Amino acid sequence: MHTYLFVDGLDVVARSDSRMAGLDPSRLLRPGGPLCPTDTPCKVDVAAQEQPEPGPDRLTIRIRLRGETVIWSDLMYPGLDGKVLEEAHFRLEQYLGEIERAYAALKDQLVSRSDTAEVKPAQT
């Protein structure tokens, strides 16, 4: 399972490096996880090389909080107009709400999978 990170409708991972796939959402989206902004800027791996085969390369972004704004920097992908985007800004409340919404959807998906799993007794 991979995390897809969209900014203004654009898939940041795919547009940054097509060899990459987003890391596991349970790692990135968990409460207090790496995508949660803090007063101290931090670098976060958001994707790993998958093509042509899994490898050591990572896609890393820098996340920082400035007042009520979350800033992703160290980006490098083409925007809708073809110009390279190096930073993305988000309102803190909306940003945290989206992470919570995505994590809740992930938990619901995992619960529904485990509810539908069929356990069969071993045959003798």
Side-chain angles (χ1 to χ4, degrees):
M1 187 178 296
H2 302 290
T3 302
Y4 295 88
L5 301 171
F6 288 89
V7 174
D8 295 332
L10 301 176
D11 183 341
V12 173
V13 173
R15 293 180 77 84
S16 296
D17 189 333
S18 62
R19 301 173 307 142
M20 302 284 174
L23 298 179
D24 190 302
S26 62
R27 178 181 176 279
L28 290 176
L29 300 174
R30 63 183 162 72
L35 291 181
C36 289
T38 61
D39 292 332
T40 304
C42 61
K43 291 195 176 229
V44 176
D45 288 342
V46 295
Q49 179 182 336
E50 289 288 321
Q51 300 293 330
E53 59 187 41
D57 289 347
R58 298 286 183 261
L59 179 62
T60 303
I61 62 174
R62 184 172 181 250
I63 299 177
R64 68 184 190 272
L65 183 60
R66 186 185 310 149
E68 292 294 310
T69 303
V70 177
I71 301 169
W72 285 6
S73 56
D74 295 348
L75 301 173
M76 191 67 70
Y77 68 94
L80 289 173
D81 60 2
K83 293 181 183 176
V84 174
L85 298 175
E86 297 176 4
E87 253 186 19
H89 296 236
F90 310 93
R91 288 191 336 257
L92 178 61
E93 186 176 334
Q94 182 180 6
Y95 180 88
L96 293 176
E98 276 301 304
I99 290 177
E100 287 176 20
R101 182 201 58 75
Y103 187 72
L106 173 65
K107 281 182 20 181
D108 288 347
Q109 183 180 14
L110 294 175
V111 167
S112 69
R113 281 186 184 170
S114 66
D115 286 346
T116 59
E118 184 178 342
V119 179
K120 294 182 181 180
Q123 295 186 10
T124 56

